Amino acid sequence: MSSYLRFLVAGLIGFWLLLSGYWDNPLLLTLGAFSIALTAYLASRIERHYPLKSVTRMLFRLPAYGSWLLIEVIKTTLDVTKCVWMPSRYPISPTLDVVPMTQKTRVGKTIYANSITLTPGTVSVRFEAGGHLLVHALTADSMDDLKAGVMDSRVTAMEKQ
Amino acid sequence: MELILDVLSWILLMGGAFFGITGAIGTLRFPDFYSRVHAGSVTDTLCALMIIGGLILQAGFTLVTVKLIMVLAFLWYTSPAASHALVRAAHHMGVPPVLLPKPDARSKTREGSSSKP
Amino acid sequence: MFAATCLALLAIMAIALVRAFMGPSVYDRILAVNMFGTKTVLFLAAFGFLTGRPDFLDIALVYALINFIGIIAVLRFVETVTHTGTGADD
């Protein structure tokens, strides 16, 4: 049993107990144990084909990255808000371009692409060959911010050993 | 104390409503599908965060707060996956994006075209 | 204050419905329906506070999950239908 699966089971037990709220009903506890065992079995079957190596380490680094991402989301949301309410002063300039990414692991790439999509103003369209990412941006400025590579280097630092 | 909490949650709830309406107006106003996705993701991120933050301030430290945080976590994990799947499917199907140059370059061309007639 | 939030969320949902009716492509409609769904989750949470019944939060949680699965399922359906070329009216 890998450390990833142990984390998953512990998290699922806490999740079930919190959401159900009945800690002494044997029927509900049995159902919960059954669901958790089923989920863990399915996850282990997935993991046999796509092993996740450094996930638990990244899990601990996630809160620091998440708080940075939150500030980034607020800033980019304000940019999009300006484009919506004052279209003459802040005109949009939609761009479709390829952005390099330096992540090695699949989880790192997924986190980077999801962060790009989560911040309003940029959406990752698809992976290109050679470690590149096709991105659609609402303004040319947000595309330039993305190409400066601050978010990219932060995600890459997260997957370091 | 009660008053401060009330004022704070008023601010958060109304801020969330403002960003939600901003995103909704954006989906009406933007010219093509891809830029509408950006407006939609405003309502999924900051609007949800502020409204749920305002509700958490009213709930205090109870099980309700935990459930609210779970709702927010679900929204924040699923909304990028959903909008990425949408954009990827649209790009795969060849929906043409409207691409515009940077504003300073465009204002020059606009002056050039308006001087013609 | 919860009533005001609920009204604002209803307004947002109405605008999303307008976009869903206007289209023009099927992806615009799916985007609008996705927005409608996430706003429904927030509306359920706020409505639970308005009526003083926090049980609504459980419904909101389940709705958040079902909405996501539903959007993905509809996208798959649209992709396969357009691939095989049957009934693609957009």
Side-chain angles (χ1 to χ4, degrees):
Chain A
M1 198 173 180
S2 68
S3 62
Y4 159 67
L5 267 186
R6 239 174 283 152
F7 256 105
L8 181 69
V9 169
L12 283 177
I13 289 174
F15 187 60
W16 180 280
L17 289 179
L18 267 179
L19 277 193
S20 91
Y22 293 100
W23 297 47
D24 48 1
N25 188 329
L27 173 69
L28 288 179
L29 286 183
T30 318
L31 284 175
F34 177 71
S35 326
I36 291 168
L38 184 66
T39 314
Y41 167 66
L42 289 176
S44 74
R45 236 176 47 158
I46 295 174
E47 213 205 349
R48 213 176 303 147
H49 292 284
Y50 302 101
L52 296 169
K53 292 201 182 74
S54 54
V55 172
T56 43
R57 198 176 295 110
M58 287 174 92
L59 224 54
F60 287 118
R61 291 179 184 160
L62 212 53
Y65 176 70
S67 46
W68 176 80
L69 187 65
L70 181 64
I71 296 169
E72 206 65 9
V73 164
I74 292 173
K75 276 195 281 190
T76 49
T77 302
L78 290 179
D79 287 345
V80 176
T81 307
K82 279 190 271 186
C83 287
V84 171
W85 290 113
M86 293 180 275
S88 51
R89 241 171 80 198
Y90 298 94
I92 62 170
S93 48
T95 354
L96 194 65
D97 209 343
V98 177
V99 172
M101 60 180 179
T102 55
Q103 287 79 32
K104 296 281 181 300
T105 58
R106 267 184 315 121
V107 184
K109 285 176 187 171
T110 311
I111 289 179
Y112 184 45
N114 265 335
S115 314
I116 287 177
T117 313
L118 191 65
T119 48
T122 46
V123 173
S124 52
V125 181
R126 69 167 187 204
F127 287 105
E128 296 286 343
H132 288 277
L133 194 61
L134 187 64
V135 174
H136 184 275
L138 186 64
T139 61
D141 290 338
S142 51
M143 181 64 89
D144 292 341
D145 284 349
L146 205 59
K147 277 182 177 169
V150 182
M151 183 188 277
D152 182 50
S153 57
R154 276 193 181 252
V155 179
T156 309
M158 217 165 56
E159 68 178 9
K160 220 163 37 189
Q161 291 300 311
Chain B
M1 195 61 212
E2 194 96 325
L3 187 71
I4 298 173
L5 274 185
D6 274 355
V7 169
L8 266 181
S9 46
W10 260 111
I11 293 173
L12 280 175
L13 287 173
M14 288 305 110
F18 169 72
F19 283 116
I21 289 175
T22 302
I25 298 283
T27 54
L28 283 186
R29 188 176 265 180
F30 283 163
D32 73 323
F33 164 72
Y34 295 92
S35 35
R36 280 175 209 139
V37 172
H38 300 305
S41 72
V42 169
T43 68
D44 280 351
T45 52
L46 202 56
C47 164
L49 176 77
M50 288 181 92
I51 285 182
I52 288 191
L55 293 181
I56 283 175
L57 287 184
Q58 288 294 309
F61 289 101
T62 50
L63 191 62
V64 173
T65 306
V66 178
K67 283 182 185 170
L68 281 171
I69 291 175
M70 278 178 185
V71 170
L72 184 66
F74 278 144
L75 284 182
W76 274 51
Y77 275 108
T78 54
S79 87
S83 40
H84 168 69
L86 250 173
V87 170
R88 208 185 77 116
H91 186 259
H92 185 71
M93 283 294 133
V95 175
V98 174
L99 300 179
L100 297 171
K102 271 189 89 158
D104 49 338
R106 203 187 330 162
S107 61
K108 266 178 213 155
T109 57
R110 199 180 285 158
E111 277 163 25
S113 62
S114 63
S115 65
K116 227 184 278 173
Chain C
M1 91 179 98
F2 301 126
T5 314
C6 285
L7 279 179
L9 283 170
L10 282 176
I12 299 165
M13 286 154 80
I15 301 176
L17 271 190
V18 170
R19 176 42 82 190
F21 276 117
M22 274 165 58
S25 76
V26 68
Y27 300 104
D28 287 295
R29 294 177 213 271
I30 298 176
L31 173 72
V33 170
N34 183 24
M35 216 170 111
F36 189 84
T38 51
K39 295 294 103 46
T40 309
V41 174
L42 293 178
F43 178 76
L44 279 173
F47 194 71
F49 276 80
L50 178 66
T51 53
R53 286 191 293 178
D55 310 335
F56 270 61
L57 276 177
D58 295 324
I59 306 174
L61 260 172
V62 173
Y63 198 92
L65 288 173
I66 289 181
N67 178 47
F68 174 64
I69 305 280
I71 293 297
I72 298 295
V74 169
L75 265 179
R76 297 298 294 192
F77 174 71
V78 168
E79 260 187 324
T80 43
V81 165
T82 357
H83 263 307
T84 51
T86 51
D89 59 355
D90 251 317

